[in-house]
Amino acid sequence: MGIRTAAVNSPDWFAGKLLAWFDRHGRKGLPWQRNPNAYRVWVSEIMLQQTQVQAVIPYFERFMARFPDVQALAAAQLDEVLHLWSGLGYYARARNLHRTAKLIAAAGGAFPTSQAGLEALPGVGRSTAGAILALAMDQPTAILDGNAKRVLARFHGVDGPSNAAATLRTLWAHAEAHTPQTRAAAYTQAIMDLGATLCTRRGPGCSACPLAERCMALAANRVAEIPSRPQRGAKPVRKARMYVISAPPGACLLERRPNFGVWGGLWSPPQRNADCSWEAVCAEFGIRAATVAERRTAPAFRHSFTHFHLDIEPHYLRLAEQPTAIGDGDRFIWYNLDRPQPVGLSVPAGALLASLKEVFA
DNA sequence: TACTCGTGGAA
DNA sequence: TTTCCAAGAGT
């Protein structure tokens, strides 16, 4: 009887070593670590899903300056939320964030304090719910983000494919078993910090690792192989025609994309499949043939995404004397004709600009 | 279960 | 130039 009780009530070797390391080497100056209330931790955790810390920081700062609390976010228009998100990717996160803010504000403004209550929120899964409970409320709830997966897989020698269900079950069990009853917030930050700064995917610093003494992957000289990589097929190629339609005074015609799929809810130049004709596009947007001043096709270019290649065939349709100035920023920002400020984005500007310049140089 | 959803940095 | 993948979740 005594062994089980002792294991549950006292931090194990793993958690003890990790916490001691965290006190000396952990990250403590990240923006969401100051005033870590549920709202700030929630927003940061959503932004950090599949997104590196350095990319998130400026977005988090701008977001908090504009939406300091859940009521401010709930009162905003989706367009503005997406605008502050544009460039960060995975826009369903922003739509879910806005939807959840409205739900919470309508329910009085307080976040759920249970795992189940948090997981019921759109965009909040098991790991994000665990992170909110641990980081904002110091509750002993496990997380299993990419860092924790790597640390636990190596420490316990879990060598199955990192996305397989059996592997995830095993890793979640280890995550639960190591999470201490006290200092849950520090422990949660610690396992992420170890994974991010020492137990990295490539070139891990095992010589400085507080867990090295009992790390199974290190003992077996298999640190480089664990976690094993999921096998992938070849990327498919998708084709699209992009219509850049300009009208006076120097405005671009855009369409708001539906709230699903790629760039859902953002504004972009009309994109059609490869068989869409000029006549069909003009008809759809109410453009009379007589008003078309110029009609050109630019060379196609490829933009590679994580999961597919997109071969884009740019088309340019000018409706009056003034040519449209396409912003030469680092991103392809388009303009919502109903609003003064830029909203949304499409593919990076560079590739399309280079393509158009070959025609309009 | 397997697929979808983005972007920027690194190799 | 291409591939990989990082504080995952939804369907």
Side-chain angles (χ1 to χ4, degrees):
Chain A
M1 60 128 194
I3 295 176
R4 170 170 301 204
T5 304
V8 168
N9 288 340
S10 65
D12 63 1
W13 182 90
F14 183 98
K17 289 290 187 183
L18 204 47
L19 281 164
W21 173 85
F22 173 75
D23 289 334
R24 292 192 56 167
H25 304 290
R27 294 177 293 186
K28 299 178 181 77
L30 297 170
W32 41 90
Q33 290 179 315
R34 53 171 202 271
N35 185 19
N37 58 37
Y39 174 72
R40 291 170 61 85
V41 170
W42 166 60
V43 171
S44 73
E45 286 300 323
I46 301 298
M47 286 187 170
L48 286 160
Q49 287 169 2
Q50 299 290 286
T51 309
Q52 294 183 340
V53 168
Q54 290 308 313
V56 165
I57 288 174
Y59 282 87
F60 181 81
E61 302 279 27
R62 286 193 292 267
F63 206 87
M64 282 301 146
R66 174 62 186 86
F67 307 122
D69 51 46
V70 70
Q71 287 82 6
L73 180 56
Q77 296 293 314
L78 176 60
D79 253 3
E80 188 179 4
V81 179
L82 286 170
H83 176 49
L84 278 174
W85 204 275
S86 76
L88 200 53
Y90 283 144
Y91 299 95
R93 297 184 297 177
R95 300 193 300 271
N96 285 332
L97 202 75
H98 188 232
R99 197 148 67 94
T100 295
K102 285 179 173 298
L103 288 173
I104 291 180
F111 279 78
T113 56
S114 70
Q115 179 95 21
L118 285 168
E119 283 187 42
L121 300 174
V124 179
R126 182 175 178 183
S127 189
T128 299
I132 295 171
L133 288 170
L135 296 174
M137 308 175 194
D138 205 25
Q139 290 188 32
T141 315
I143 64 157
L144 191 62
D145 72 318
N147 293 307
K149 281 180 188 170
R150 194 166 51 252
V151 171
L152 292 168
R154 283 173 173 165
F155 184 81
H156 289 285
V158 181
D159 60 354
S162 60
N163 58 346
T167 306
L168 291 175
R169 270 198 307 277
T170 302
L171 292 177
W172 268 113
H174 288 311
E176 298 275 7
H178 288 307
T179 303
Q181 294 297 305
T182 60
R183 298 200 69 194
Y187 170 83
T188 299
Q189 189 63 50
I191 195 167
M192 290 191 287
D193 286 357
L194 189 79
T197 66
L198 218 52
C199 192
T200 50
R201 190 173 60 84
R202 284 184 298 245
C206 299
S207 61
C209 180
L211 308 175
E213 187 184 334
R214 299 188 186 180
C215 178
M216 293 184 63
L218 182 60
N221 195 23
R222 296 185 61 203
V223 174
E225 316 167 16
I226 297 178
S228 62
R229 292 151 55 167
Q231 46 183 336
R232 296 182 174 85
K235 289 186 194 176
V237 177
R238 302 181 187 177
K239 294 182 183 300
R241 282 183 176 180
M242 174 179 289
Y243 291 88
V244 181
I245 304 173
S246 71
C252 284
L253 179 59
L254 302 179
E255 61 179 353
R256 187 178 186 281
R257 305 172 68 91
N259 282 332
F260 54 83
V262 179
W263 304 316
L266 300 185
W267 294 82
S268 76
Q271 284 182 298
R272 297 293 182 271
N273 62 39
D275 294 329
C276 189
S277 68
W278 283 113
E279 289 71 22
V281 170
C282 287
E284 178 172 349
F285 290 97
I287 297 167
R288 289 177 293 107
T291 68
V292 176
E294 192 173 12
R295 187 170 103 173
R296 307 288 286 271
T297 298
F301 65 93
R302 166 171 290 192
H303 186 68
S304 291
F305 294 88
T306 303
H307 304 289
F308 60 93
H309 302 285
L310 186 63
D311 285 347
I312 299 172
E313 199 180 322
H315 296 251
Y316 184 86
L317 188 66
R318 187 160 60 81
L319 300 183
E321 300 74 19
Q322 283 180 282
T324 296
I326 297 175
D328 196 6
D330 53 346
R331 316 200 58 78
F332 201 118
I333 302 292
W334 294 87
Y335 293 86
N336 177 350
L337 297 180
D338 299 327
R339 292 170 169 275
Q341 73 272 34
V343 174
L345 86 159
S346 185
V347 298
L352 181 54
L353 278 176
S355 178
L356 290 174
K357 276 175 183 171
E358 291 187 32
V359 177
F360 300 102

